[in-house]
Amino acid sequence: MAKRIKSLQTILFAVFLFSLPITNFPFFPPSFGGNEAFVKPFLVFPLLGLVVILTLPRLFTRNLPRPGLLLILFFSWGLISSLIPFFRLAASPWREINIFSREIRMIITLGLALAIYFTVSLYPDDWKDLKRSLGWLYAGLALVLFWGTLQIIYVLDLIPGWYQTMGKVQQFITSQKLNPHRVSGMTYEPSSFADQLLTIWLPWVYAAFLTDFTAFNWRWKWVTVEKVLFVWTFGVLASTLSRTGLIMGVGIIACGLLLNFLRTQLESRASNHRSANSSPPANPRKKSLDWKKVLSLGLLASILFLGLFYFLGSGSGYISRMWDYWFSGTNKSISQYLIYIGFGSRITYWKSAFQIFENYPLFGVGLGNFTVYFPDNLPFQQLIKTPQLLHHLVPAAGRTRVITPKHFLARILAETGLVGGAIFAVFLLTLAAGALYLWLSDDEEKTFWGTGSLLGLAAFTGVTFSFDSFAIPNPWILFGLITAGFTVFLPHPSAAPPED
């Protein structure tokens, strides 16, 4: 019976990781949010089975990792702070928004986030499970890269009528229509697809490239499956024409180069120290790739990535604003540039979030309640320069004016206050400390996992400028994978000390 349950867990977890690309499934049951939900991940279906046969049993039979305890504490504080608006407000300033229904929706969202995180972090029993998880994770990446490549065909207009053909098939994958000039993958929009590539997959295939690690038995000279996926990912990422994808794509390359340089310096010093003391290494391992070679490849990748982005973006009036502004005859300023490229509304949301935090610094206003406090904390400005913000503020029939900060960390500060922000910061620092411990290890697998974890945290930090929803699976998948390294690699406090 135990073997059957283990087999079923493995199958469901494989389906769970393989289905990550589909985040806006059009046939979502009404009981799960239906058409009203913006994020409708397909992974909910295998997740339900995993929660019953894997997550809940292990939550009650295993010692929870410290990051998981901190996450539970953070969400508990968020739920407590969410009760405050019931005492502060007589009614929502947006009449069509019911505070109570938003609280219920937020509880469901937090439950989904916790279920994803603990399922991913508690699944592996050993390194074999972690390695198997990587295989299915990469299978999902290969699926979405193949689908994104098919979309590049209509972006380049290589086959007449291909956009219409892809659009008919896409309606069975997502409820949003395809953008004829940008690649959307299997998500709601191109920017969401870029965030997904950056947060879930790119850190691990890039870490495998930097450490020359592969989770598969196949290798042809220096070519591995991960290196092929790494190059392919950057090609598709450029085709999303996401501004966050552009900045963070180059940023992650730079972070990886820095990690590789520091790693080679540490190995060089350790080697010199051992030579001086005539002692062999305690745990011999394959050396990191030569940092000069990696630097050359990284610079080449960045140039090709930027070149492809420029080539594809030149045909889009919206994207080409990023560089056209600097060649126009108007007076140049950073503030006007941000408004010109469409960031004016986002800056207003961020300012409002920090204003709410200043007014309610300790408890915040409760998870999900930014929108009901937004009108009283809107900074004074000319709304004509920010049409998106004007669209949200002006009443219209059938329009629900739900406004969010458009920044994940700013939302945490505004809605959970200093206490919630501090708890979440400690959660991230705990993940970073564990990742750093693994990265410094002499063991090849630990070094790889630590590198991927550090790159993932860097990607998450950058991507927070483009999303604010707790329902998006990307960060919880990443946090779960990092915590899984804690479970498998780090020594447990309950373990017996070695005998003398």
Side-chain angles (χ1 to χ4, degrees):
M1 185 64 179
K3 290 184 178 181
R4 292 182 179 179
I5 294 178
K6 179 64 176 179
S7 298
L8 182 58
Q9 290 174 351
T10 302
I11 294 172
L12 287 176
F13 196 70
V15 176
F16 173 83
L17 293 178
F18 187 70
S19 63
L20 288 182
I22 305 175
T23 59
N24 189 246
F25 191 56
F27 307 107
F28 222 56
S31 57
F32 291 171
N35 294 328
E36 297 181 0
F38 174 76
V39 180
K40 296 178 281 189
F42 185 85
L43 60 79
V44 167
F45 299 105
L47 179 64
L48 291 175
L50 287 169
V51 167
V52 174
I53 66 173
L54 186 146
T55 311
L56 288 177
R58 295 192 176 187
L59 279 174
F60 292 104
T61 58
R62 291 188 177 185
N63 294 326
L64 296 182
R66 290 182 181 178
L69 294 174
L70 288 168
L71 196 60
I72 291 175
L73 180 60
F74 168 74
F75 282 151
S76 299
W77 175 260
L79 292 176
I80 293 173
S81 65
S82 299
L83 299 176
I84 295 176
F86 290 102
F87 302 99
R88 287 180 180 160
L89 300 175
S92 168
W94 307 129
R95 294 182 179 179
E96 70 273 20
I97 297 177
N98 182 276
I99 296 178
F100 179 75
S101 64
R102 282 195 61 76
E103 297 297 337
I104 297 298
R105 192 182 189 93
M106 180 54 59
I107 292 174
I108 296 174
T109 299
L110 296 182
L112 174 63
L114 284 174
I116 293 174
Y117 168 78
F118 279 111
T119 298
V120 176
S121 61
L122 294 176
Y123 168 76
D125 289 319
D126 50 32
W127 169 242
K128 290 183 179 179
D129 286 338
L130 274 182
K131 201 172 181 180
R132 191 181 299 115
S133 300
L134 282 177
W136 286 110
L137 190 73
Y138 294 155
L141 174 59
L143 170 66
V144 76
L145 291 179
F146 172 74
W147 195 250
T149 303
L150 293 179
Q151 293 175 354
I152 293 176
I153 295 176
Y154 68 70
V155 171
L156 299 177
D157 197 20
L158 299 178
I159 301 177
W162 187 248
Y163 172 74
Q164 289 74 17
T165 302
M166 288 295 296
K168 292 179 181 178
V169 182
Q170 187 80 359
Q171 66 182 343
F172 297 102
I173 299 174
T174 175
S175 57
Q176 180 74 340
K177 291 184 178 180
L178 290 171
N179 187 313
H181 306 293
R182 302 169 65 185
V183 170
S184 305
M186 296 180 170
T187 62
Y188 185 79
E189 60 181 0
S191 296
S192 299
F193 183 34
D195 292 350
Q196 191 181 64
L197 290 173
L198 289 166
T199 309
I200 297 179
W201 292 298
L202 183 57
W204 305 104
V205 293
Y206 188 26
F209 167 78
L210 291 172
T211 59
D212 199 27
F213 170 85
T214 180
F216 304 94
N217 295 327
W218 179 87
R219 176 193 287 266
W220 183 69
K221 297 183 178 180
W222 59 272
V223 178
T224 62
V225 173
E226 287 88 344
K227 290 174 182 175
V228 174
L229 292 174
F230 171 66
V231 175
W232 197 2
T233 299
F234 262 99
V236 175
L237 178 62
S239 303
T240 65
L241 293 181
S242 166
R243 293 170 296 186
T244 302
L246 171 67
I247 297 171
M248 288 309 303
V250 177
I252 290 178
I253 288 180
C255 288
L257 295 178
L258 177 61
L259 288 176
N260 181 263
F261 172 74
L262 294 175
R263 181 76 205 184
T264 54
Q265 295 303 304
L266 289 174
E267 289 177 350
S268 177
R269 291 184 180 181
S271 178
N272 293 336
H273 178 74
R274 285 192 299 266
S275 299
N277 292 277
S278 301
S279 59
N283 296 297
R285 63 180 298 275
K286 182 169 52 182
K287 289 186 177 181
S288 299
L289 296 177
D290 178 70
W291 72 270
K292 293 182 180 180
K293 181 185 296 185
V294 173
L295 177 62
S296 301
L297 293 174
L299 292 176
L300 177 61
S302 298
I303 293 172
L304 293 176
F305 176 63
L306 292 171
L308 181 59
F309 189 96
Y310 178 80
F311 170 74
L312 296 174
S314 296
S316 171
Y318 178 71
I319 298 299
S320 61
R321 290 182 178 187
M322 294 182 66
W323 49 83
D324 287 344
Y325 175 82
W326 303 108
F327 297 100
S328 63
T330 59
N331 294 328
K332 308 297 188 298
S333 70
I334 297 298
S335 59
Q336 289 300 317
Y337 174 70
L338 293 175
I339 293 175
Y340 183 79
I341 63 176
F343 266 84
S345 298
R346 289 179 178 265
I347 294 175
T348 300
Y349 297 142
W350 301 343
K351 289 181 178 179
S352 299
F354 287 111
Q355 183 62 48
I356 292 175
F357 171 67
E358 289 181 0
N359 293 336
Y360 307 95
L362 186 59
F363 295 96
V365 295
L367 289 174
N369 294 320
F370 172 86
T371 188
V372 299
Y373 285 85
F374 176 75
D376 294 332
N377 294 273
L378 177 65
F380 179 78
Q381 64 182 61
Q382 293 181 348
L383 296 178
I384 192 64
K385 294 183 178 180
T386 53
Q388 183 188 35
L389 180 59
L390 190 63
H391 172 80
H392 282 295
L393 292 175
V394 175
R399 181 189 300 167
T400 301
R401 292 173 291 168
V402 176
I403 300 176
T404 57
K406 311 299 181 185
H407 191 303
F408 190 74
L409 300 180
R411 177 181 181 180
I412 287 177
L413 281 177
E415 296 186 346
T416 66
L418 187 62
V419 176
I423 296 173
F424 195 79
V426 174
F427 167 73
L428 293 178
L429 288 174
T430 303
L431 293 179
L436 186 61
Y437 172 86
L438 295 178
W439 178 73
L440 291 171
S441 172
D442 288 330
D443 182 78
E444 180 182 0
E445 288 81 11
K446 291 181 180 180
T447 302
F448 158 73
W449 206 266
T451 304
S453 299
L454 291 174
L455 291 174
L457 290 173
F460 164 77
T461 303
V463 170
T464 54
F465 285 87
S466 65
F467 84 100
D468 57 21
S469 175
F470 286 89
I472 294 177
N474 303 350
W476 314 119
I477 296 290
L478 171 66
F479 298 155
L481 288 171
I482 297 174
T483 307
F486 282 69
T487 306
V488 172
F489 290 125
L490 298 185
H492 299 284
S494 58
E499 295 183 2
D500 295 333

